[in-house]
Amino acid sequence: MDTATHVVMGIAIGGLATLDPVVAESTVNSHSVLVAAIIGSQIPDIDTFLKLRNNAVYLRNHRGVTHSIPAVLFWPILVTAFVSLFFPETNMLHLWIWSFIAVFLHVFVDIFNAYGTQALRPFSSKWVAFGIINTFDPIIFSLHVLAIILWIFDSPPGYTFLILYIVIILYYLLRFIMQRTVRSALLKIIPDAEEIIIAPTMSFNQWRLAVTSKDNFYVGRAYKRSITIFDKFKRIPVPESPIINAASKDKNISAFLSFSPVYRWEIGEFDQYYEVRYIDLRYRSNGHYPFVAIVQLDLNLNIIASYTGWIYSEEKLRKKLNIVTE
């Protein structure tokens, strides 16, 4: 989920914790747990700072080790130790319990996004992504804000947030049913589909579609049960060639390939350089595929420029690559 949603979730967990008699019995305990819940709801995303290095490092590591099983066990200990410095009289056990709940829920809700997490590390590096909730879901965020406002106006926080999470659990079940309905409708149109990616959008009833069959890639949208296919690409394996082999050594290309499950490729040959481009098919927007990885090589197959990330125009791409084209 996005940062704002994790913040309101932290506040909600702090309010829910007042159902714990030990937390509710003193101001010190309730305040320390609230602070720990807010921090615990944020700390797995500390790897966001990897963006300051480059997109390749960020793609390879975001929601990776910081969302792993060892991290879920480590973060609550760190949060408890830190918060107890400011609240030395707090009950340490219950502070840790609610810190753990906050961290665990952060990682747990992230697996329902299309991006997912490597939550099973170190046992598996596979990305776990159910794709039923958008990274920012306005309904989930608004329900949290409403519950927090009710708390401000003296609604009992424990029961207010307990009701909130019961409603959200039902909402998740609804989203799962909606996704399965889209999948069933899609299989009627593409019965030979081998892999189907159904990703949520900001719109409640609209989903992004990326489908792989034996011979083709399909890209489309679903609105309720209605399926629209926008593009169909021939599924051509990436060839073994000196240009491709040289490009594959680039960190941006390798990061892209480790992240993207469905993509097409292009090779451009120009007077002064070659260009290899990989295009993620999951994020079609206004007829454009903005998430790409590109590497440019000189005629001796030395890498001279590369980039991976979101690009919405060729002009901006050329600025990112920062080379003179023909």
Side-chain angles (χ1 to χ4, degrees):
M1 304 297 285
D2 67 301
T3 300
T5 301
H6 283 307
V7 168
V8 294
M9 282 184 63
I11 297 172
I13 293 166
L16 183 65
T18 60
L19 292 176
D20 179 345
V22 174
V23 173
E25 72 180 5
S26 74
T27 302
V28 170
N29 287 345
S30 60
H31 286 182
S32 63
V33 164
L34 176 60
V35 172
I38 294 172
I39 296 174
S41 291
Q42 293 294 323
I43 201 166
D45 280 344
I46 197 170
D47 57 3
T48 301
F49 291 110
L50 292 172
K51 265 192 174 181
L52 299 175
R53 292 185 61 186
N54 56 62
N55 283 348
V57 174
Y58 178 74
L59 279 179
R60 277 193 174 278
N61 296 283
H62 182 52
R63 294 190 181 181
V65 67
T66 61
H67 289 61
S68 65
I69 293 172
V72 170
L73 298 175
F74 170 73
W75 291 132
I77 296 172
L78 181 64
V79 171
T80 299
F82 176 74
V83 173
S84 65
L85 294 176
F86 301 92
F87 298 91
E89 298 178 359
T90 190
N91 184 293
M92 296 286 284
L93 174 60
H94 287 257
L95 181 63
W96 174 84
I97 289 172
W98 288 99
S99 298
F100 176 81
I101 291 172
V103 171
F104 174 81
L105 283 180
H106 175 119
V107 175
F108 182 71
V109 298
D110 276 355
I111 70 175
F112 292 94
N113 300 154
Y115 192 106
T117 77
Q118 290 181 305
L120 299 179
R121 288 180 68 173
F123 302 106
S124 172
S125 59
K126 181 181 178 181
W127 288 87
V128 183
F130 295 137
I132 64 171
I133 301 293
N134 197 43
T135 303
F136 175 77
D137 187 299
I139 293 176
I140 291 176
F141 181 78
S142 298
L143 287 172
H144 276 85
V145 171
L146 175 61
I148 291 169
I149 292 172
L150 291 174
W151 185 11
I152 292 172
F153 285 95
D154 292 329
S155 177
Y159 292 107
T160 298
F161 291 113
L162 179 61
I163 293 170
L164 166 71
Y165 281 118
I166 291 172
V167 171
I168 288 178
I169 288 170
L170 294 175
Y171 177 67
Y172 272 65
L173 292 173
L174 172 63
R175 295 293 291 172
F176 177 77
I177 293 169
M178 291 173 67
Q179 188 192 60
R180 299 299 295 180
T181 300
V182 170
R183 182 182 179 87
S184 297
L186 184 59
L187 285 171
K188 293 179 181 178
I189 298 173
I190 311 173
D192 62 337
E194 296 178 351
E195 182 178 1
I196 299 173
I197 297 175
I198 304 173
T201 68
M202 287 280 287
S203 174
F204 178 73
N205 286 307
Q206 195 168 101
W207 305 77
R208 295 192 304 270
L209 307 175
V211 182
T212 303
S213 69
K214 180 180 178 181
D215 299 314
N216 300 292
F217 294 120
Y218 300 86
V219 180
R221 288 259 173 156
Y223 182 80
K224 296 182 179 179
R225 296 173 180 268
S226 176
I227 308 294
T228 302
I229 301 299
F230 295 123
D231 292 318
K232 176 182 177 181
F233 302 104
K234 196 71 178 174
R235 187 179 177 185
I236 303 173
V238 179
E240 281 286 337
S241 74
I243 296 174
I244 289 290
N245 291 340
S248 298
K249 297 176 183 178
D250 179 76
K251 62 183 181 181
N252 284 302
I253 295 293
S254 61
F256 175 93
L257 294 177
S258 72
F259 170 74
S260 177
V262 53
Y263 56 84
R264 53 188 294 263
W265 58 272
E266 298 174 352
I267 299 177
E269 299 188 19
F270 304 93
D271 288 343
Q272 299 178 22
Y273 65 95
Y274 301 107
E275 181 176 282
V276 177
R277 182 179 300 207
Y278 288 88
I279 305 158
D280 195 306
L281 299 180
R282 294 175 296 172
Y283 303 110
R284 185 183 187 278
S285 175
N286 297 321
H288 181 66
Y289 293 88
F291 190 72
V292 299
I294 296 177
V295 61
Q296 293 179 332
L297 309 102
D298 64 22
L299 300 183
N300 294 317
L301 301 185
N302 298 306
I303 296 171
I304 53 179
S306 68
Y307 175 78
T308 187
W310 300 90
I311 291 293
Y312 290 89
S313 73
E314 285 294 314
E315 181 183 357
K316 288 184 178 180
L317 174 60
R318 299 303 156 188
K319 288 180 180 179
K320 291 285 187 181
L321 293 170
N322 196 30
I323 70 165
V324 178
T325 60
E326 67 169 0

